Amino acid sequence: MALWVWAGMAQAHALDPGYLQLQHLDDDAWQVFWRKPTVQGEPMAIDAVLPSNCAPARAEGDPQFDGAAWVSQWVALCPGGLAGQLIVIDGLEATRTDVLVRLSGPEGQALSKRLTADQTGFTVPIDMTGWAVFSSYVALGFDHILEGFDHLLFVFALLVLIRHPWRLVGAITAFTVAHSITLALATLDLIRVPSPPVEAVIALSIVLLAVEILRRREGGDQLTERYPWLLSFGFGLLHGLGFAGALAEIGLPQGDIPLALLAFNVGVEAGQLAFVAVILVTFAVLRWVAPKVTAVLRDPTSAGTLVMGYAIGGVATYWLAERVAGF
């Protein structure tokens, strides 16, 4: 039941982001693009609050519905610029969504920041190059993988399926190398694959892992037993395209593309390792406090493995149906 709720939350969350873009035009002028999610046909009760030194060059028009969200644009005059100034999304603390803020500076610098109910504002760094770009994109990559429920479920399925420590290390390493390759190629526009089929095939990859879990319980001959690295590498190529789609929405600073790409990938890997560590620590604690429960979970022929296999496959099948229906 918890996995089904998780699946629904993942689907809902993906549809409800806000987006604020501030692009420098000339002198003190900044182009502002503000996109608010829709709630029951009305704009979500959140507002972009620019620094106190900013004022609209002309009266702002009412937001217009574009079929998915409420969009408004205007030019703001900000004497002294935005460096060191505070940007806040008012009302975000009362929501379950997030807002991506993207800022393009006067010298081509770019910065992206994800704001949430727990962090509704941030101070624009005075220096938007080097470390500021790196730390920003590491945080974006880390947040993305921890909210990428399909990617996490895939990793969890690997943990359930591959019980030998070195085989597991090899499989996760192959997955990491593969998605790093396609993330870089797609981000640099060397390959192009439409997002909807990619998301559907990612869900299908989890279904296939669930089938492998059930086949292992029945003692069937499995690809994961014979070729764990090859299977993880192939699926990792697909998941990398999914990461690239998210990074394309965030955007990359034109002057620091390699640095931002590396930082985003580092954040993804840090989040993935953090997730694996939490699962392994949780299992170690369970093995200490409830050895009988963990003995059942470790047995590939047990009812616990059967339940996990069907639960993982059920959630992934739900995602697959949702994504195919969205084509």
Side-chain angles (χ1 to χ4, degrees), residues 25-264:
L25 297 177
D26 56 61
D27 298 329
D28 297 330
W30 293 76
Q31 178 70 48
V32 182
F33 176 85
W34 175 221
R35 187 173 187 270
K36 294 199 286 188
T38 184
V39 179
Q40 298 179 345
E42 297 294 332
M44 181 177 284
I46 57 175
D47 290 296
V49 180
L50 301 185
S52 57
N53 65 319
C54 294
R58 57 182 177 273
E60 302 172 27
D62 293 332
Q64 301 297 313
F65 187 61
D66 66 0
W70 296 84
V71 175
S72 54
Q73 299 185 64
W74 67 94
V75 174
L77 298 179
C78 305
L82 297 180
Q85 301 294 328
L86 179 65
I87 296 174
V88 176
I89 305 300
D90 187 36
L92 189 60
E93 67 279 359
T95 73
R96 288 170 47 195
T97 191
D98 56 67
V99 172
L100 178 67
V101 180
R102 178 165 169 76
L103 191 151
S104 300
E107 298 179 5
Q109 322 100 308
L111 182 69
S112 296
K113 188 74 174 180
R114 175 178 167 272
L115 300 180
T116 67
D118 295 325
Q119 183 185 2
T120 61
F122 76 105
T123 299
V124 178
I126 295 176
D127 178 14
M128 290 200 302
T129 60
W131 173 249
V133 171
F134 185 83
S135 59
S136 173
Y137 278 83
V138 166
L140 288 167
F142 190 88
D143 289 341
H144 174 70
I145 187 63
L146 292 186
E147 292 190 348
F149 299 107
D150 48 359
H151 301 294
L152 293 182
L153 188 58
F154 180 88
V155 173
F156 179 74
L158 282 179
L159 294 174
V160 173
L161 185 60
I162 303 174
R163 307 300 178 95
H164 190 281
W166 287 113
R167 284 179 179 269
L168 179 61
V169 169
I172 291 179
T173 300
F175 181 67
T176 296
V177 171
H179 73 62
S180 299
I181 291 172
T182 46
L183 171 60
L185 291 176
T187 302
L188 297 175
D189 207 24
L190 297 177
I191 57 174
R192 293 184 182 182
V193 182
S195 179
V198 168
E199 295 299 323
V201 175
I202 287 174
L204 180 60
S205 72
I206 305 171
V207 173
L208 294 177
L209 281 189
V211 171
E212 287 289 290
I213 291 172
L214 297 175
R215 281 171 53 83
R216 187 174 192 270
R217 181 179 182 272
E218 297 169 358
D221 186 28
Q222 305 159 71
L223 289 172
T224 47
E225 286 294 329
R226 290 176 288 150
Y227 310 110
W229 305 280
L230 182 61
L231 195 67
S232 294
F233 187 86
F235 288 152
L237 293 174
L238 296 171
H239 285 249
L241 294 173
F243 295 143
L247 189 53
E249 294 179 0
I250 294 170
L252 288 170
Q254 291 303 308
D256 292 294
I257 289 178
L259 179 64
L261 180 58
L262 172 64
F264 186 81

Side-chain angles (χ1 to χ4, degrees), residues 285-300:
V285 171
L286 281 175
R287 186 167 53 184
W288 180 56
V289 300
K292 291 184 179 180
V293 173
T294 52
V296 171
L297 294 177
R298 294 175 64 184
D299 183 358

